[in-house]
Each structure stands twice: as C-alpha cells, then as structure tokens.
Amino acid sequence: MSRTIVSMPGDGIGKVVLPEAIRVLNAAGFNAEYIHADIGWEFWCNEGNALPQRTIDLLEKHKTGLFGAITSKPKDAAAKELHPSLKDKGFVYFSPIVGLRQHFNLDICVRPCQSFKGNPLNFIRRTANGDFEEPLVNAVIFRQNTEGLYAGVEWTNPPKQVRDAFETHPKFKKFTNVPNDELAISTRIVSRSACRRIIKAAFEYAKKFGYSNVTVCEKPNVLRETSGMMVKEAREIAKDFPDIDLWETNIDAQMMWLTKNPEYYGVLVSENMFGDIVSDGFAGLVGGLGFACSANIGDDVAVFEPTHGSAPKYAKLNPSIVNPVAMILSACMMLDYLGEEEKATRIRKAIAKVIEEGNVRTYDMMKLRGSAEAIKKGAATTQEMTDVIIAGL
Ligand code: NAI
Ligand code: MG
C-alpha cells in the first residue's frame, strides 16, 4: 500500500533535516508519496499567513504530516517584516505549528527521551566513591498540546469586561490600582475532557510498553484549580491501571529530580507549558535537541516533528552540520503510528549502532562549536550522518 505524507519542511534547518528523514524512510522500504506543503516565515511575510489554508487542506485530505521547523518572532518583529502591501491590514502573526495543533486538535503530544548507548552527550553522574556512572534514561513525556498557557487567551490592556470579570476574584484585589495599560494577563485554561485524554493516553502507553509508573507533573499546591484538576483526574484514571504506579511531582522539584535520578522515571504527563519544560529537561540528558523527537496526535490527523527549531545560525551552512537524528526519530514515530513498527525498529537499531560505534558523529556529539570549522575537526555533515544510518539498515 502506498501512503501520502504531507511534507512541511518550514524554515531554516527544517529544510535540511526533513529531506534526510525521507531518504531514510525510502531506504527502509516505506512506500509513500510526499506532497510538499507551504508553511513558515516567508508565507507570513508575503501572504500575511504562516499557515496558508492550502496547507490545512492538504493535511485535512491526507491526515499524516512530517514537519521540519519554523522560525517564529515576537509580535512587533513579525509586523516589521510583513510585505509593505500587507502592512496595517490587520494581519497578526501566530506560530503555524501551534496553529496546526489547535486547528486539528492534535492534543496528544508524545516526546520520548531515550538515551543511546555510547552517545558522548549522555547524562553521567559521580558515584559516592568518585567513579562515574551513566544511567540510561528511558522517559516518555505526554504533553497536553492545545490548552493551558499555550491556548493564547491573553491580553495586554485587557478590555473592560475582562477587567471587570477579574475584579470579581478576591485575589485580584492587589492589582486593583494597576492602570489597565500596565497590565498583562495570560490565562491557564484546562478542560476536564482534555485532561482525561492526555492522562489516559499516558497510561495506555505505559501499559502497552511495560512501564511501571506514570508521573503526573504539575503544581497543585499553588495552581489549585488547573493542576488540581490534572492530579484529580490522574488519580481517577490510575484506578483502571492497577499494575502501574501513579507518582505525583511538582514541576520545579521534577526539574531537580531528573538531574539526579532520571532513570527512575518512565511515562510523565503534564499540561502544555510544564510538558514543554520537562520534555526539554529530559531531552538534555539524552543528547539535546539533535535527538529530541515528537508526535502531535489527534483523533484524525497527526504531525511528527523534531522538537528543535529552525536554528537560523546553521541554516545556510553548506555542507550542513546539524544532526538529522531528531528528525529521523520523529519519522520513526510516524511509522509506529501508521502500523509500520518493523521499519521503525530497524531504523532505530541502525541509529543505535552508528552511535555506539562512534565513528561518525555530528558536531553536537563531538561537543564542538557549531560552525563550518567543525567539519575540519572531524564532525560529520548532516548528509554523512544520514548515509551511515542508511548503510546500517
Ligand atoms: P533552535 O532549536 O532552533 O536552536 C537552538 C540551538 O540548538 C541551535 O543553535 C543549535 O545549537 C542547537 N540545535 C538545534 N537543532 C539542532 C540539530 N538538529 N542538531 C544540532 N544542534 C541543534 O532554537 P532557537 O535558536 O531558540 O530558535 C530558533 C528559531 O526556531 C526561532 O525563530 C524559534 O521561534 C523557532 N523555534 C521553532 C520551533 C518549531 O518549529 N517547533 C521550536 C523551537 C524554536
Ligand atoms: Mg519547546
């Protein structure tokens, strides 16, 4: 059977790593056609929309997307770069990947952070007798992907109705004398159904892959309502999974624990912002952004992407030096999702072998500064790294 995959390279190194992942998919025998879709900065500048409707239509039709990375800039900087003919016409920049997650309700974000043996970037720690040990990390973060602090319900200089509504809350008293134009408000909105969906997905994954614990990572002692709801629902859902322990941590303490005993943790589940934070924390223990992959999954549509951004500093280097592994691992998650687990496993094994042998390493794995110089110092190019993975298949 041939599939159709919507390919959205986006900006910067997204355009570099996505074609590499497709090379690996082809070499693994995945039978697919790739349809290019426009997304990213140039479409904001030239059309006033970084996520054109034609791209949404393609995903609507074909359901599965591979995404590279986009460049995002703050509101004012974005407005400045808009084509002169579009200026002052009411166009407002929003991140197209956040837009995709919202539009298709891709509410389940999965971010595996698993160390490869032999990766010089793996976390190590000193033992009591002065030796070093390298605990293997095998954590998978489930991040609620559409709500919370990322839902985008926020204001500077809030409208009167909003201000009036906030004034009804007793804790708002301390802001009563703050002038409206000196007030910025973000909201953290969570819905029970979304909490339940992400927590259930986390438990089901733990069960399927034999993890003994699920950690709900929140801050219910302070964020009593939103984190409170996450924890309450986690306790309810945990009852249906008697063989899996539910652990409860606070996001701040979790960031400390994961640098002490990362091997204790299996599946973690959090609201959007906390999931973003804790997944970057774990990613740092397994090699950083060059290794961090992710899936955004909804009922009907799914998009797979490395968690890194467009790394503009490296976008123009020829040959390219960035690590394609995060993108290739994201493509493996797509294969799993499509029921092609055997091919995904073969690719992951090929990556593991390349890393363990250690003959071919990108600049990040050699702990070099990212520049053209890195290649002279023995770093592999992006394409060489892909080639050796393909050879390992
Ligand atoms: P970034 O992830 O693009 O790069 C940060 C640093 O991480 C790079 O300078 C590089 O040292 C390293 N890095 C990233 N990917 C790598 C790879 N594949 N191999 C080796 N090293 C790698 O984050 P930054 O610099 O904060 O943002 C750059 C742009 O990307 C911004 O416009 C930002 O808004 C956007 N961004 C987009 C994301 C997305 O598309 N999902 C996610 C994060 C940032
Ligand atoms: Mg992030």
Side-chain angles (χ1 to χ4, degrees), residues 147-167:
E147 301 190 342
L149 281 169
Y150 276 68
V153 183
E154 51 177 13
W155 304 265
T156 303
N157 200 354
K160 182 169 181 320
Q161 308 95 299
V162 172
R163 175 105 197 197
D164 289 348
F166 274 95
E167 300 277 359

Side-chain angles (χ1 to χ4, degrees), residues 115-390:
S115 33
F116 286 101
K117 247 194 205 148
N119 187 346
L121 301 174
N122 283 348
F123 171 76
I124 54 169
R125 109 191 120 203
R126 202 188 286 273
T127 61
N129 66 11
D131 292 341
F132 289 97
E133 59 186 0
E134 186 177 318
L136 288 186
V137 177
N138 181 4
V140 183
I141 292 85
F142 278 70
R143 164 188 180 190
Q144 205 295 327
N145 219 18
T146 49
E147 301 190 342
L149 281 169
Y150 276 68
V153 183
E154 51 177 13
W155 304 265
T156 303
N157 200 354
K160 182 169 181 320
Q161 308 95 299
V162 172
R163 175 105 197 197
D164 289 348
F166 274 95
E167 300 277 359
T168 65
H169 197 289
K171 293 252 166 78
F172 198 79
K173 279 210 171 64
K174 59 176 165 289
F175 301 106
T176 301
N177 295 323
V178 180
N180 219 40
D181 59 356
E182 287 183 23
L183 202 57
I185 298 177
S186 292
T187 59
R188 187 183 201 240
I189 303 177
V190 310
S191 69
R192 196 179 306 279
S193 66
C195 284
R196 294 187 64 84
R197 270 176 63 87
I198 191 72
I199 295 164
K200 256 201 182 133
F203 271 96
E204 274 160 11
Y205 185 97
K207 184 173 172 184
K208 182 170 176 192
F209 294 101
Y211 288 87
S212 63
N213 56 70
V214 170
T215 302
V216 58
C217 174
E218 284 290 328
K219 186 87 184 177
N221 48 339
V222 177
L223 302 172
R224 292 172 180 278
E225 305 305 327
T226 48
S227 285
M229 186 181 281
M230 279 288 283
V231 171
K232 184 162 174 281
E233 293 305 321
R235 288 178 189 169
E236 270 312 301
I237 289 166
K239 291 179 189 159
D240 298 335
F241 298 86
D243 300 334
I244 299 170
D245 292 334
L246 173 66
W247 294 350
E248 297 173 13
T249 58
N250 287 335
I251 177 70
D252 47 348
Q254 179 68 66
M255 296 310 289
M256 182 261 295
W257 290 120
L258 70 81
T259 59
K260 289 180 73 114
N261 302 308
E263 74 274 32
Y264 288 3
Y265 296 94
V267 174
L268 294 98
V269 58
S270 295
E271 168 267 354
N272 214 336
M273 181 84 250
F274 292 173
D276 199 17
I277 293 170
V278 78
S279 62
D280 270 9
F282 273 101
L285 305 175
V286 301
L289 291 172
F291 292 87
C293 56
S294 78
N296 305 281
I297 300 174
D299 276 336
D300 193 34
V301 171
V303 174
F304 301 84
E305 52 155 341
T307 65
H308 64 70
S310 60
K313 278 192 294 192
Y314 306 146
K316 294 257 148 62
L317 288 182
N318 186 11
S320 172
I321 61 164
V322 293
N323 191 343
V325 167
M327 182 78 234
I328 297 170
L329 289 173
S330 305
C332 289
M333 295 186 80
M334 178 184 80
L335 290 175
D336 286 339
Y337 172 81
L338 295 173
E340 301 267 10
E341 290 94 342
E342 178 271 331
K343 293 185 179 73
T345 304
R346 235 165 6 100
I347 297 171
R348 289 190 184 103
K349 279 192 179 148
I351 294 172
K353 185 162 163 271
V354 168
I355 294 172
E356 188 158 14
E357 288 173 353
N359 300 323
V360 180
R361 287 174 170 170
T362 43
Y363 85 94
D364 51 329
M365 299 175 73
M366 295 180 70
K367 308 191 186 194
L368 294 171
R369 244 174 54 89
S371 73
E373 287 297 298
I375 292 175
K376 287 184 204 142
K377 293 181 180 155
T381 66
T382 308
Q383 285 73 19
E384 284 166 347
M385 189 68 181
T386 312
D387 288 343
V388 69
I389 292 167
I390 290 174

